[in-house]
């Protein structure tokens, strides 16, 4: 499972070819590469601390043959809210809000093409101090949604991989979530955010602009590691099944005629409401800086 196919992003002066998510991904942490001997047991460690242990003869090619040539591994890690915005992977599962302890994507290939797993990979994902309730975390995998309430052209979703809570282990003096994966995919350690009441929150852009090249909106929660991607409908965005009484920041991003625009609003308590939000022109570097500031709560 990989991210949905995206239209390539051209420069902001390029007009109709601009795609917001591709633009944001250019500011994400770079993909890490490792070359390994697939005939040996090997452990690779990502820059953010993710440990992946591969056992001998774990990879097969498209014909189902065990691979013995050198394998190139591609690893992407996304632990913080800004990285989840840049990679485009919000923390929801069938429109239920998740709190994330960390996401990663694993791919493997040789010069002949993409590979698959025939043996499970052992994963140790570091438990950061910011994780509120590590014992509640479970494993989710990248999938597609079957309950999208609005047509948005974006169908990536997190699917619960196991009902079991993740094991917690210590290794080299550090704490990790310990689990196995059997597919090359996006994976996420999460727990559902419990709520007595859930609401729909909507926002309408206040602008004279009639046509946008692209538009995107996120709810970035203040006290939990969670981001919701809102569904666009014309000049409106909506998010459903949002727990009440949470603090969040609303970010609305648009592009028109080569110009970026941003609307921002703080929501002290989430509730069932429609907001009206003006959008203002913003430079590219200021938009990226604002996303990082909001994600860090500054």
């Amino acid at each position: 499972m990989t991210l949905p196919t995206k239209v390539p992003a051209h420069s902001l002066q390029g007009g109709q070819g601009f795609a917001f998510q591709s633009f944001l991904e250019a500011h994400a942490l770079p993909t890490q590469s490792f070359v390994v001997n697939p005939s040996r047991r090997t452990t690779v460690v990502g820059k953010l601390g993710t440990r992946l242990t591969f056992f001998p003869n774990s990879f097969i090619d498209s014909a189902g043959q065990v691979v013995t040539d050198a394998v190139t591994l591609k690893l992407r890690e996304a632990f913080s809210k800004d990285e989840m915005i840049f990679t485009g992977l919000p923390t929801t599962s069938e429109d239920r809000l998740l709190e994330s302890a960390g996401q990663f994507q694993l791919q493997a290939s040789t010069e002949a093409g993409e590979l698959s797993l025939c043996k499970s990979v052992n994963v140790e994902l570091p438990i950061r101090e910011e994780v509120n309730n590590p014992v509640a975390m479970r494993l989710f995998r990248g999938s597609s949604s079957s309950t999208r309430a609005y047509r948005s052209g974006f169908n990536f979703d997190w699917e619960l991989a196991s009902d079991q809570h993740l094991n917690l282990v210590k290794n080299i003096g550090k704490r990790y979530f310990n689990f196995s994966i059997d597919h090359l995919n996006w994976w996420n350690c999460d727990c559902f955010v419990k709520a007595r009441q859930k609401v729909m929150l909507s926002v309408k852009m206040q602008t004279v602009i009639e046509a946008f090249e692209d538009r995107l909106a996120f709810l970035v929660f203040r006290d939990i590691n969670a981001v919701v991607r809102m569904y666009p409908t014309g000049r409106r965005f909506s998010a459903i099944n949002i727990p009440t009484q949470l603090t969040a920041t609303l970010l609305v991003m648009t592009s028109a005629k080569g110009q970026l625009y941003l609307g921002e609003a703080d929501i002290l308590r989430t509730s069932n409401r429609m907001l009206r939000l003006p959008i203002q022109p913003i430079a590219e570097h200021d938009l990226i800086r604002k996303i990082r500031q909001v994600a860090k709560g500054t």
Side-chain angles (χ1 to χ4, degrees), residues 98-128:
L98 302 171
E99 180 177 2
S100 176
Q103 310 173 358
F104 70 94
Q105 182 194 34
L106 181 63
Q107 297 173 298
S109 64
T110 63
E111 292 183 356
E114 297 295 318
L115 304 179
S116 302
L117 290 175
C118 60
K119 292 183 181 180
S120 295
V121 177
N122 185 67
V123 181
E124 292 172 306
L125 189 136
I127 302 175
R128 298 171 301 119

Side-chain angles (χ1 to χ4, degrees), residues 203-253:
V203 58
K204 182 177 182 180
M205 293 184 288
Q206 290 186 326
T207 175
V208 296
I209 299 172
E210 295 183 358
F212 301 101
E213 292 150 12
D214 202 6
R215 61 210 192 282
L216 201 58
F218 292 96
L219 273 176
V220 185
F221 292 88
R222 181 74 56 84
D223 300 319
I224 56 176
N225 198 38
V227 174
V228 168
R229 179 167 173 158
M230 305 180 75
Y231 302 120
T233 307
R235 298 189 182 190
R236 297 187 180 187
F237 296 88
S238 298
I240 63 175
N241 290 331
I242 301 301
T244 58
Q245 305 301 308
L246 295 180
T247 302
T249 298
L250 174 63
L251 291 178
V252 172
M253 297 169 270

Side-chain angles (χ1 to χ4, degrees), residues 92-167:
T92 52
S93 176
E94 301 294 2
D95 294 315
R96 293 179 63 188
L97 182 62
L98 302 171
E99 180 177 2
S100 176
Q103 310 173 358
F104 70 94
Q105 182 194 34
L106 181 63
Q107 297 173 298
S109 64
T110 63
E111 292 183 356
E114 297 295 318
L115 304 179
S116 302
L117 290 175
C118 60
K119 292 183 181 180
S120 295
V121 177
N122 185 67
V123 181
E124 292 172 306
L125 189 136
I127 302 175
R128 298 171 301 119
E129 292 182 359
E130 296 86 354
V131 177
N132 292 320
N133 191 12
V135 297
M137 294 293 168
R138 292 185 285 181
L139 184 63
F140 290 74
R141 58 176 163 248
S143 184
S144 57
S145 175
S146 61
T147 63
R148 288 299 185 208
Y150 305 92
R151 295 185 179 274
S152 64
F154 179 82
N155 203 37
F156 185 93
D157 201 39
W158 293 109
E159 178 186 30
L160 184 63
S162 172
D163 284 331
Q164 300 297 318
H165 292 132
L166 294 175
N167 291 327

Side-chain angles (χ1 to χ4, degrees), residues 16 32 35 38 51 79 90 108 120 150 163 168 173 188 195 198 217 256:
Q16 298 302 316
Q32 304 164 59
V35 178
R51 297 173 58 88
F79 283 16
S120 295
Y150 305 92
D163 284 331
L168 311 183
N188 197 354
K198 297 180 181 180

Side-chain angles (χ1 to χ4, degrees), residues 39-137:
S39 300
R40 297 180 179 177
R41 174 175 170 144
T42 305
T43 297
V44 300
V45 183
K47 291 182 179 179
L48 298 184
T50 304
R51 297 173 58 88
L52 304 167
T53 299
F54 301 87
F55 298 96
N57 305 317
S58 290
F59 299 97
I60 55 175
D61 60 21
S62 59
Q65 299 299 310
V66 173
V67 173
T68 57
D69 295 335
V71 171
T72 298
L73 302 173
K74 298 287 189 181
L75 174 66
R76 300 179 69 186
E77 298 170 289
F79 283 16
S80 61
K81 285 176 275 193
D82 56 333
E83 285 301 321
M84 289 187 280
I85 291 174
F86 292 143
T87 57
L89 302 181
T91 55
T92 52
S93 176
E94 301 294 2
D95 294 315
R96 293 179 63 188
L97 182 62
L98 302 171
E99 180 177 2
S100 176
Q103 310 173 358
F104 70 94
Q105 182 194 34
L106 181 63
Q107 297 173 298
S109 64
T110 63
E111 292 183 356
E114 297 295 318
L115 304 179
S116 302
L117 290 175
C118 60
K119 292 183 181 180
S120 295
V121 177
N122 185 67
V123 181
E124 292 172 306
L125 189 136
I127 302 175
R128 298 171 301 119
E129 292 182 359
E130 296 86 354
V131 177
N132 292 320
N133 191 12
V135 297
M137 294 293 168

